[in-house]
Amino acid sequence: MVIALPVIFLLLFVYVFGGTLGNGLGGVAGGRSAYADYVTPGILLLAMAGAAQGTAIAVAMDMTEGIVARFRTMSIARAAVLTGHVVGAVTQTLLGLVVVVAVALLVGFRPDAGPAQWLAVSGSPPPGSSPGGPAQYASPASASARAAACSPARACRAAAEACRSTAAASTCASVSASR
């Protein structure tokens, strides 16, 4: 499911809709290859979201079906079940993303990003940077810019409800006040 569904969507969108929708993207080129460049990042996000959803459902089912209660009687760490689900899902997702990118390259996806940008997308710091990351990623100005890029009120309400802490609520108040 982690590999098959995104690959099927990619092939469907590129080969069935790509010619028509690619011409509507504008520019000189257009067509299937332009549409492959347009749709591939969305397919990659779809694959990651699907894996996260599957992990959440699996953990919830384990909690309700009693397997976690059985594990609590054993001498294992309390976080072992969740850690196992997450590590397994991350491994499957990375494998699925590699396959989707390979198929996308075969159907005409030509990314403009270099290796440093691909590492930044993956969450790794660029080569040669300090362990804390470059100053541009860690500065409060970029953090406030990232916070302003999304809907701060909605994101802060969700974060405040999720952790129910006064620290998150005060952070949300300061982000909302800065807008």
Side-chain angles (χ1 to χ4, degrees):
M1 194 71 164
V2 174
I3 296 173
L5 192 63
V7 168
I8 289 170
F9 278 158
L10 179 68
L11 294 175
L12 173 77
F13 281 111
V14 170
Y15 284 111
V16 175
F17 304 123
T20 305
L21 295 176
N23 290 331
L25 290 175
V28 179
R32 282 198 176 108
S33 64
Y35 193 67
D37 290 342
Y38 177 76
V39 78
T40 299
I43 298 294
L44 293 173
L45 288 175
L46 177 93
M48 289 186 285
Q53 179 183 9
T55 303
I57 290 171
V59 169
M61 286 176 55
D62 284 351
M63 294 291 290
T64 59
E65 291 176 358
I67 190 74
V68 174
R70 289 185 205 154
F71 284 148
R72 285 185 186 151
T73 63
M74 299 175 168
S75 62
I76 61 171
R78 294 179 62 89
V81 176
L82 181 60
T83 303
H85 277 292
V86 170
V87 169
V90 166
T91 305
Q92 288 177 347
T93 302
L94 289 176
L95 176 67
L97 292 178
V98 167
V99 171
V100 171
V101 168
V103 171
L105 289 170
L106 290 174
V107 298
F109 175 59
R110 299 295 177 255
D112 295 330
Q117 287 91 1
W118 280 98
L119 283 174
V121 167
S122 71
S124 303
S129 66
S130 64
Q136 65 186 11
Y137 297 132
S139 70
S142 66
S144 63
R146 285 192 306 267
C150 65
S151 171
R154 183 176 22 185
C156 289
R157 269 187 261 126
E161 289 174 8
C163 63
R164 289 188 166 79
S165 71
T166 57
S170 65
T171 303
C172 293
S174 66
V175 170
S176 297
S178 67
R179 280 201 85 192

